[in-house]
Amino acid sequence: MAKTLAEKIIARAAGRDRVTPGEVVTAKVDLAMIHDSGGPRRVEPILKELGAGLFDASKVVLISDHFVPGDTDEGARILELTRAWAKERKVAFHDGQGICHVVLPEGGHLSPGMFVVGGDSHSPTGGAFGAYMFGVGATEMAGVLATGEIWIRVPGTIMLEWQNRLSRGVTAKDMMLALCGRLGMDGGKYQAVQYAGEAITALSMQERMTLSNMAAELGAQAGLIAPDETTVAWLEGVGAAVGDWQDLTTDPDAALLEHHVFDAAALEPQVAAPHSPANSAPVTEAGGTAIDVAYVGACTGAKYEDLKNAASILRGHKLAPGVELMVAPSSRRDQDRAEADGIMAVFEEAGARILPNACGICAGYGTHRLGEDVTCISSTARNFKGRMGAASSKVWLASPFTVAASAVAGRIADPRDFLDGGRA
Amino acid sequence: MTSRVFLFGNDIDTDQLAPGQYMRGGIDELAAHCLEGVRPDFASTVKTGDVVVAGTNFGMGSSREQAAEALRRLGVAGVVARSFAGIFYRNAINLGLPVMIASDLSAVTDGDPAVLDVEEGRLRLMEKGIDIALEPLPDNLKRMLADGGLVPHLKKRFAAERKENDT
């Protein structure tokens, strides 16, 4: 019988030959990822109350990112507690290395076919590697850490097929903003979204991560991409176990919940107006708004390739008067690479403020927050009212290309006008 | 005192329910700011037993379970919505906050005196004399909610396992 990729992974984790969408099964987790906010400070009191230890410390990865750099008293205290817990519970710990969704695969912890839970809503990012990964809250995570298992309602699969290839200056972020607009913030119906087609095959791993990451904004449980040679090469590069991956696909005649087809070649750069990623439109129609702040940050929009794209626009240009550019590279590894390639120097020459490798303004947990009435264009995933700062601040979402172009223009601008050093 | 409905629209997100800038503090501080962006007087006027009614995709956004915990801390009897975001829905059940789905909530007006009956699966609008039928919860979640959430549910399970091992 034909199966979807989601069904194959869940059936294996549930110890079943096959599973059917809609049924509730209990599955064993291969890995649990937690961070400093929903992690030790929340789960340890519950573990104590349950009188339980970790189901398997070797299957737990802890990453600090939400309260890094500890710029408030409470944040610093939470980080101390997090570090002490990592030692006590003897789990793998990446401290101050960057945002969990980027650091987890960089650390070689993910492999195709794994069934993984993460204590963060952008956990679907792991789907880019062919893992079924989804986000849960802290109490549910404590239950997973105590038992090694979790219930799941087997999802149907919503296939998002992108034919042809993206044109220059158009990225995975633009695909996701367009999808949020077309399908809505609940278009994923808490089912499994799967991305496929020529445009997806042509994407790099980091661009694929952006697609899977923003499955969260579609309200999907997971955002899967079947592993291929690109996946395997990337994973081998970080020393991850790859295993058998050839069968980790949705069979051609498997029953799908929905199947949508899009033309990647026709897609233009997108921007999403405040206060929802679903308020998206082509920049050619929705551009022009004057901005105060340009932000290249978060797991969604500050990976190495995001930095590279933004820098390609900034090179040889000055920021528009009065515009502040802030850059928070997603991980230390990506920042190091960007430094070696001269990308960070471009940001510094442009006068950008470089922020720590952490969730930063996107989570809004620390001291860096947008002030009253500030208009910001951001490469992050969410522009909910008040999330990144004052309730009166307005956040537009766009790709790193478009954020950089807007920083140069002083208003929301089409990045294609700035490619190849065009237009000053 | 009669319990009442607090009516909200679609896409109420977790940054409204549990604003990020208060995430480093405790639940009481967070709860005091719950939904202030859409309804500044919510935390100060909501009373034990009141019911939150909303449109589609309630609780979208972050996995922070404080979004559900804050409502519970304020005494909200439960949330009735046309649909919920997946992670919020799981978090609410895990924390013992009833979350019920109703396909048609057009009869509900803000401030309606109302009683949420989770067991019977209905929202009773007292003055209007209308009962709104709510979708029954799946069995596994009904059991968890009846136990008071995931932690008491697991405690019960572990106790039963220990008893079994002893005999």
Side-chain angles (χ1 to χ4, degrees):
Chain A
M1 275 279 279
K3 297 172 187 168
T4 65
L5 173 55
E7 288 162 13
K8 288 177 186 178
I9 298 174
I10 293 167
R12 201 260 314 143
R16 299 264 298 268
D17 287 336
R18 68 170 300 124
V19 291
T20 312
E23 69 170 319
V24 172
V25 298
T26 299
K28 290 198 180 339
V29 308
D30 298 307
L31 188 72
M33 177 194 77
I34 53 177
H35 58 52
D36 50 345
S37 182
R41 70 164 176 151
R42 302 275 303 174
V43 299
E44 182 59 28
I46 299 172
L47 290 172
K48 281 222 170 71
E49 190 180 345
L50 292 172
L54 299 181
F55 78 104
D56 183 344
S58 73
K59 292 181 177 172
V60 179
V61 177
L62 171 63
I63 297 164
S64 61
D65 55 10
H66 278 63
F67 290 104
V68 172
D71 53 357
T72 62
D73 289 347
E74 301 97 321
R77 189 183 53 75
I78 291 164
L79 286 174
E80 280 315 307
L81 179 156
T82 303
R83 290 173 187 133
W85 190 86
K87 265 190 203 147
E88 187 193 321
R89 293 290 191 174
K90 299 183 172 57
V91 300
F93 179 35
H94 300 275
D95 191 13
Q97 295 299 300
I99 306 169
C100 59
H101 308 295
V102 179
V103 171
L104 187 75
E106 283 178 354
H109 299 289
L110 282 183
S111 303
M114 284 176 100
F115 183 80
V116 188
V117 293
D120 191 276
S121 62
H122 283 113
S123 297
T125 311
F129 301 89
Y132 196 95
M133 184 164 179
F134 63 107
V136 298
T139 298
E140 183 129 52
M141 181 57 80
V144 169
L145 295 180
T147 64
E149 58 185 42
I150 189 166
W151 69 268
I152 183 168
R153 184 195 294 267
V154 178
T157 291
I158 299 174
M159 188 65 76
L160 303 176
E161 182 182 339
W162 285 84
Q163 296 177 340
N164 306 314
R165 300 229 181 165
L166 293 171
S167 52
R168 287 199 64 211
V170 186
T171 64
K173 178 63 178 290
D174 300 298
M175 297 165 87
M176 289 314 301
L177 292 177
L179 285 173
C180 287
R182 286 279 286 278
L183 304 176
M185 297 293 287
D186 52 359
K189 302 182 169 74
Y190 204 49
Q191 305 296 306
V193 153
Q194 186 173 342
Y195 306 97
E198 186 189 344
I200 309 300
T201 306
L203 287 180
S204 67
M205 275 321 296
Q206 290 201 328
E207 281 283 90
R208 295 180 187 187
M209 286 166 72
T210 303
L211 293 182
S212 295
N213 176 280
M214 284 191 69
E217 276 56 53
L218 291 175
Q221 185 177 47
L224 304 171
I225 298 172
D228 60 13
E229 281 78 10
T230 301
T231 324
V232 172
W234 197 96
L235 289 170
E236 285 174 352
V238 296
V242 175
D244 288 336
W245 57 272
Q246 280 85 354
D247 188 45
L248 291 168
T249 56
T250 287
D251 297 329
D253 45 352
L256 301 173
L257 184 63
E258 293 173 21
H259 185 179
H260 303 272
V261 180
F262 305 94
D263 180 7
L267 186 71
E268 292 187 277
Q270 305 282 308
V271 290
H275 298 283
S276 170
N279 291 340
S280 62
V283 69
T284 47
E285 294 166 22
T289 301
I291 57 147
D292 307 301
V293 173
Y295 185 55
V296 176
C299 48
T300 312
K303 300 177 288 298
Y304 170 79
E305 280 175 48
D306 299 317
L307 301 173
K308 187 176 163 189
N309 290 345
S312 75
I313 300 273
L314 287 171
R315 195 170 277 123
H317 290 292
K318 284 194 163 38
L319 298 184
V323 169
E324 183 180 18
L325 172 64
M326 291 188 274
V327 180
S330 309
S331 75
R332 171 46 59 181
R333 179 180 180 266
D334 279 359
Q335 183 169 341
D336 286 348
R337 236 182 113 191
E339 254 155 31
D341 290 359
I343 290 166
M344 295 311 294
V346 173
F347 291 127
E348 279 149 31
E349 277 159 28
R353 190 140 66 103
I354 309 299
L355 301 176
N357 308 122
C359 301
I361 307 176
C362 182
Y365 286 12
T367 53
H368 286 119
R369 291 176 57 81
L370 301 176
E372 296 289 345
D373 299 317
V374 164
T375 298
C376 171
I377 187 161
S378 174
S379 67
T380 56
R382 288 182 184 144
N383 56 348
F384 302 152
K385 189 178 175 189
R387 176 178 170 89
M388 288 171 60
S392 61
S393 62
K394 293 178 186 66
V395 178
W396 292 71
L397 301 177
S399 75
F401 273 130
T402 305
V403 170
S406 305
V408 171
R411 51 174 178 76
I412 296 175
D414 190 333
R416 293 170 299 184
D417 295 340
F418 294 81
L419 292 171
D420 308 315
R423 223 176 86 174
Chain B
M1 185 106 69
T2 327
S3 52
R4 289 178 183 276
V5 164
F6 281 76
L7 186 63
F8 294 90
N10 298 335
D11 293 329
I12 294 294
D13 65 74
T14 49
D15 285 281
Q16 305 302 330
L17 290 158
Q21 66 192 115
Y22 306 107
M23 279 291 286
R24 54 185 187 258
I27 189 65
D28 288 320
E29 188 188 357
L30 256 176
H33 296 280
C34 181
L35 291 168
E36 69 181 3
V38 272
R39 189 159 180 168
D41 66 347
F42 176 72
S44 58
T45 54
V46 71
K47 293 186 188 65
T48 301
D50 285 347
V51 184
V52 167
V53 177
T56 55
N57 207 20
F58 187 88
M60 72 167 180
S62 164
S63 64
R64 63 185 77 153
E65 65 182 2
Q66 289 92 331
E69 197 181 5
L71 291 174
R72 199 163 172 253
R73 180 57 58 107
L74 292 169
V76 168
V79 184
V80 177
R82 287 182 55 211
S83 67
F84 291 89
I87 304 178
F88 177 88
Y89 183 85
R90 295 183 72 117
N91 284 340
I93 302 279
N94 287 331
L95 293 168
L97 175 75
V99 276
M100 311 291 288
I101 296 169
S103 54
D104 184 3
L105 288 163
S106 56
V108 183
T109 317
D110 188 58
D112 274 348
V115 173
L116 175 63
D117 190 332
V118 176
E119 205 56 24
E120 295 294 321
R122 70 171 175 231
L123 178 68
R124 173 160 285 181
L125 304 179
M126 314 299 283
E127 277 177 10
K128 291 174 175 164
I130 297 173
D131 274 2
I132 294 171
L134 309 174
E135 276 183 26
L137 284 170
D139 285 343
N140 64 322
L141 299 187
K142 212 182 261 177
R143 285 194 296 274
M144 202 183 292
L145 203 52
D147 288 342
L150 179 64
V151 173
H153 184 69
L154 281 177
K155 271 184 175 170
K156 210 164 133 182
R157 177 180 138 185
F158 289 166
E161 282 171 6
R162 274 192 287 271
K163 207 171 158 193
E164 200 162 292
N165 290 338
D166 289 346
T167 52

